[in-house]
């Protein structure tokens, strides 16, 4: 059982470049979400999705786009990377409904220079 | 005011000691996760609980929904327990809110 798979694990970008962080889950979870983790800030919600075709903004959505064309995949796009987006990014998934256990990917460490 | 307060922020213990990490939250929740993150590593869910107490090996988690408080206990701590422990209440609608984490170091 693969669980939640994130790729890549590490990435260095130049300011202004674009890239997509991939997240896939094989548990048929409806709910998927993206977080960023910065020192001293804890994890903060970027975007989330409650099912295919439905996405919404979280706490820190600026500079990021998402889409959810399938239940399995929830990619996070940086259209024009900025140094402020240097962070560790985590994807998570769970069934919808109360008291659903969340599963996390291994994280993507992104550096924007 | 943060929605989730964890204490202590940093904790150093000797191997074998009993450890307690506390979490207080202000939001209404359906459940609460305790998460573990090793340095440079991914995030693993240790527990998800919505009432009472759960035990996995040397780890025990308790929650008091009325008082909006949860604790994570580690009995007979070991250096491999060194990690960041994060309290993450789950609001209705699956949204997680996160504490800042407790950095635990267990010395041999």
């Amino acid at each position: 059982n693969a669980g939640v798979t994130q790729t890549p694990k590490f990435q260095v970008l130049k300011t202004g470049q674009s890239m997509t962080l991939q997240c896939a889950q094989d548990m048929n979870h409806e709910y998927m979400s993206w977080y960023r983790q910065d020192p001293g800030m804890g994890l903060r919600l970027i975007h989330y999705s409650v099912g295919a075709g439905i996405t919404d903004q979280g706490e820190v959505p600026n500079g990021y786009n998402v889409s959810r064309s399938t239940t399995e995949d929830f990619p996070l796009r940086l259209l024009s990377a900025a140094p402020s987006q240097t962070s560790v990014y985590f994807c998570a998934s769970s069934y919808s409904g109360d008291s659903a256990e969340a599963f996390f990917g291994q994280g993507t460490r992104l550096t924007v220079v | 005011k943060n929605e989730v307060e964890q204490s202590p922020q940093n904790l150093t213990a000797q191997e074998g000691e009993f450890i307690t990490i506390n979490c207080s939250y202000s939001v209404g929740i359906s459940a609460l996760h305790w998460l573990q993150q090793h340095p440079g590593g991914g995030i693993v869910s240790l527990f998800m609980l919505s009432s009472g107490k759960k035990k996995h090996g040397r780890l025990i988690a308790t929650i008091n929904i009325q008082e909006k408080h949860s604790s994570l206990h580690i009995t007979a701590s070991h250096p491999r327990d060194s990690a960041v422990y994060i309290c993450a209440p789950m609001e209705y609608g699956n949204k997680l809110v996160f504490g800042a984490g407790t950095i635990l170091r267990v010395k041999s």
Side-chain angles (χ1 to χ4, degrees), chain B residues 10-23:
Chain B
N10 290 278
L11 180 56
T12 300
Q14 281 298 131
E15 183 174 357
E17 283 186 1
F18 181 85
I19 289 163
T20 295
I21 300 170
N22 293 301
C23 174

Side-chain angles (χ1 to χ4, degrees), chain A residues 39-56:
Chain A
M41 301 285 291
L43 285 141
R44 293 181 291 169
L45 179 64
I46 304 171
H47 284 284
Y48 66 98
S49 169
V50 298
I54 306 169
T55 63
D56 207 345

Side-chain angles (χ1 to χ4, degrees), chain B residues 29-75:
Chain B
I29 69 168
S30 62
L32 183 143
H33 282 73
W34 279 101
L35 308 172
Q36 181 191 55
Q37 185 178 25
H38 282 101
I43 296 172
V44 174
S45 176
L46 297 172
F47 293 101
M48 187 195 70
L49 65 166
S50 54
S51 65
K53 176 180 173 179
K54 284 191 176 180
K55 183 174 188 291
H56 290 159
R58 295 180 295 105
L59 302 178
I60 302 166
T62 64
I63 189 168
N64 185 318
I65 293 287
Q66 287 73 28
E67 296 195 358
K68 297 190 173 183
H69 183 269
S70 178
S71 294
L72 176 69
H73 306 285
I74 304 175
T75 63

Side-chain angles (χ1 to χ4, degrees), chain A residues 31 35 37 42-45 48 90 94-102 104-106 109, chain B residues 30-31 33 35 37 40-43 45 48 50 86 90 92-96 98-100:
Chain A
Y31 187 88
Y35 304 90
Q37 186 179 41
L43 285 141
R44 293 181 291 169
L45 179 64
Y48 66 98
F90 288 96
S94 67
Y95 288 113
S96 288
D98 298 335
S99 304
E101 185 175 3
F104 288 81
Q106 286 299 300
R109 186 173 295 273
Chain B
S30 62
H33 282 73
L35 308 172
Q37 185 178 25
I43 296 172
S45 176
M48 187 195 70
S50 54
I86 302 167
M90 178 180 277
Y92 294 99
N94 291 90
K95 282 190 190 176
L96 290 170
F98 297 91

Side-chain angles (χ1 to χ4, degrees), chain A:
Chain A
N1 218 359
V4 180
T5 303
Q6 280 185 244
T7 56
K9 287 189 169 54
F10 301 94
Q11 183 72 48
V12 178
L13 287 179
K14 293 183 179 177
T15 298
Q17 284 185 318
S18 64
M19 80 159 295
T20 299
L21 278 62
Q22 302 290 345
C23 176
Q25 52 89 12
D26 61 359
M27 297 171 281
N28 205 32
H29 286 166
E30 301 93 348
Y31 187 88
M32 296 185 74
S33 49
W34 276 102
Y35 304 90
R36 60 177 289 171
Q37 186 179 41
D38 301 293
M41 301 285 291
L43 285 141
R44 293 181 291 169
L45 179 64
I46 304 171
H47 284 284
Y48 66 98
S49 169
V50 298
I54 306 169
T55 63
D56 207 345
Q57 296 181 350
E59 183 184 352
V60 288
N62 292 340
Y64 308 95
N65 282 346
V66 292
S67 60
R68 185 94 179 269
S69 56
T70 66
T71 299
E72 294 79 17
D73 300 297
F74 190 44
L76 179 72
R77 296 185 188 85
L78 285 70
L79 296 178
S80 179
S84 61
Q85 293 178 304
T86 294
S87 188
V88 181
Y89 293 85
F90 288 96
C91 176
S93 74
S94 67
Y95 288 113
S96 288
D98 298 335
S99 304
E101 185 175 3
F103 294 81
F104 288 81
Q106 286 299 300
T108 297
R109 186 173 295 273
L110 175 68
T111 301
V112 183
V113 297

